[in-house]
Amino acid sequence: MAGGAELGLARMLRADAPWRASVLLPPVPAEDGAFAGLPASIPIHRIGVAQPHGASGASAMSAFSLGVRLVAQAVATRRHPSFRQADLIVANSTRAAAYGALAAFGSRKRFLVHLHDITDRETLGGFGLRMMTRIVLPRADGVIANSQATLASAEPYLRPDAVREVIAGASGLTGAARGAREPGPLRVGMLARIDPWKGQLLLLEAFAQAFPGGDEILEFAGGAPFGHADFAVELRDRARALGIADRVHLLGHVEDVDRLLRRWDVGVQASLRAEPLGFNVLEYLDAGLATVVAAEGGPVEWVRDGVNGLVVAPRDVGALAAALRRLGADAGLRSRLGDAARSTPGLATDHVVAQQHAAAYLRVIAQRR
């Protein structure tokens, strides 16, 4: 299943991106859904060897296997005609950054990395952190980070002359009015893949504390990739144990996100570690939801407590429950925060984000010259 990095790139390419792109992908169709429907002028090439998920927790043996795969992918990338013809090599994910940096070594190609993850051991794992800090970032001629928090984590490893930009990324915002909220009971939602670190269990516990009875509804929208189907089962079992199973819905992957958000009153980001950005936060704000975020990482660069959302202590069930109770009891507060959310400075359509990226790409190309 495609992650946020692949989805963000695909959105930019569909939004009339002002550059000519060739997309080089490993020969595994996991991202085909993300890149389906791209303009015919954008070629997609499947090259190299499969790059399985799960590198962040790699054992010594699997790290060796991963290293071999990265080298093989780097060789395939270096030999591809698109590499030779490119003005700029752009790595769009942490894995692509590893083999992209290897491919770019010894060449005169400019190399830019999209930073979607915090540069630390918890996020990248030991092997991934070593690759990023010893090979990728020192080689990068430029980086585009999705938040100031993400850039700060990478800063110690960048060359002084590397171009640095912070651009949130394409999150599917169109600038169009979402329409009136659909009628019904109070609905609290989280839009994120089903993954323990995304905080679904934390939100479930907080919802149970905030609304032990009543008709309030909690919805989780997102698939369960990367081997997390068992976690979805755990969430359902815990909802039953808490006596709220009839009011907790796991929707799976949702195609019509606009319609989904029109049903919700409150959108929650409650990740268990610092979230680099969180496309879901931008979507909540753009949809005019009362937005609740954890007080760390990229989301607090967008949400001001009591102004356009509520900010709560991270990993704190009680604090999140209190915020939900407060919003549930005060429709006026929800309305005020939602109105301010739509006017959050910096929210940009995918086309504008693509233009911002193009300007950063040109800066890297010019800087090297």
Side-chain angles (χ1 to χ4, degrees):
M1 178 176 175
E6 292 80 16
L7 292 171
L9 175 60
R11 288 171 183 140
M12 285 196 293
L13 294 176
R14 292 193 193 98
D16 193 23
W19 67 82
R20 188 172 62 187
S22 291
V23 181
L24 305 184
L25 297 173
V28 178
E31 293 85 16
D32 279 349
F35 294 107
L38 290 184
S41 59
I42 302 175
I44 297 178
H45 305 283
R46 292 282 176 183
I47 63 171
V49 299
Q51 299 291 325
H53 296 291
S56 62
S59 64
M61 184 61 70
S62 58
F64 175 78
S65 174
L66 174 60
V68 171
R69 289 177 180 274
L70 291 176
V71 171
Q73 193 69 21
V75 171
T77 301
R78 180 73 171 258
R79 289 178 174 174
H80 197 272
S82 295
F83 182 94
R84 296 194 298 270
Q85 297 163 7
D87 296 303
L88 179 66
I89 306 301
V90 178
N92 185 58
S93 68
T94 301
R95 183 72 64 93
Y99 61 74
L102 293 173
F105 265 115
S107 76
R108 296 178 61 84
K109 296 295 182 182
R110 298 94 170 160
F111 177 59
L112 180 141
V113 180
H114 283 178
L115 296 176
H116 300 280
D117 297 308
I118 300 291
T119 303
D120 63 13
R121 181 177 294 272
E122 182 180 21
T123 302
L124 302 179
F127 179 84
L129 182 63
R130 289 192 295 274
M131 283 293 299
M132 185 62 70
T133 59
R134 298 179 185 179
I135 295 177
V136 175
L137 295 176
R139 173 60 180 85
D141 301 301
V143 296
I144 296 177
N146 58 7
S147 67
Q148 293 290 348
T150 300
L151 179 59
S153 70
E155 184 64 48
Y157 312 103
L158 293 171
R159 299 200 319 261
D161 63 340
V163 172
R164 295 149 169 85
E165 293 284 354
V166 174
I167 305 174
S171 53
L173 309 189
T174 64
R178 300 278 182 144
R181 187 79 67 243
E182 293 186 5
L186 181 83
R187 291 180 183 265
V188 177
M190 177 182 286
L191 178 62
R193 70 175 185 265
I194 301 300
D195 189 317
W197 86 266
K198 289 294 185 179
Q200 282 93 356
L201 186 56
L202 179 81
L203 175 55
L204 180 65
E205 299 284 351
F207 180 86
Q209 284 189 21
F211 310 116
D215 60 355
E216 297 86 358
I217 291 174
L218 173 62
E219 293 188 333
F220 296 110
F226 314 137
H228 291 308
D230 288 347
F231 182 57
V233 174
E234 179 184 347
L235 289 171
R236 292 188 178 95
D237 290 344
R238 185 57 181 157
R240 282 193 291 270
L242 292 167
I244 58 172
D246 60 327
R247 297 189 288 127
V248 177
H249 305 154
L250 274 72
L251 306 178
H253 176 71
V254 175
E255 288 289 343
D256 192 346
V257 173
D258 281 357
R259 183 176 180 182
L260 173 75
L261 297 183
R262 283 198 297 271
R263 291 210 315 264
W264 289 359
D265 300 280
V266 180
V268 179
Q269 176 271 322
S271 301
L272 302 187
R273 61 176 186 254
E275 185 73 57
L277 169 65
F279 282 144
N280 56 352
V281 174
L282 303 186
E283 292 179 274
Y284 299 158
L285 295 171
D286 186 63
L289 299 186
T291 301
V292 183
V293 303
E296 61 183 355
V300 292
E301 297 172 24
W302 290 91
V303 178
R304 296 173 57 197
D305 187 41
V307 177
N308 63 339
L310 298 181
V311 179
V312 301
R315 296 170 292 281
D316 189 327
V317 172
L320 181 54
L324 295 179
R325 277 195 299 270
R326 181 182 173 194
L327 290 170
D330 192 340
L333 175 63
R334 296 197 305 271
S335 178
R336 178 173 65 78
L337 294 178
D339 289 343
R342 294 187 190 91
S343 302
T344 299
L347 292 177
T349 66
D350 292 347
H351 179 66
V352 170
V353 170
Q355 292 178 315
Q356 293 170 342
H357 278 72
Y361 295 165
L362 289 173
R363 279 194 63 199
V364 174
I365 294 170
Q367 188 264 357
R368 287 281 288 182
R369 286 176 180 167

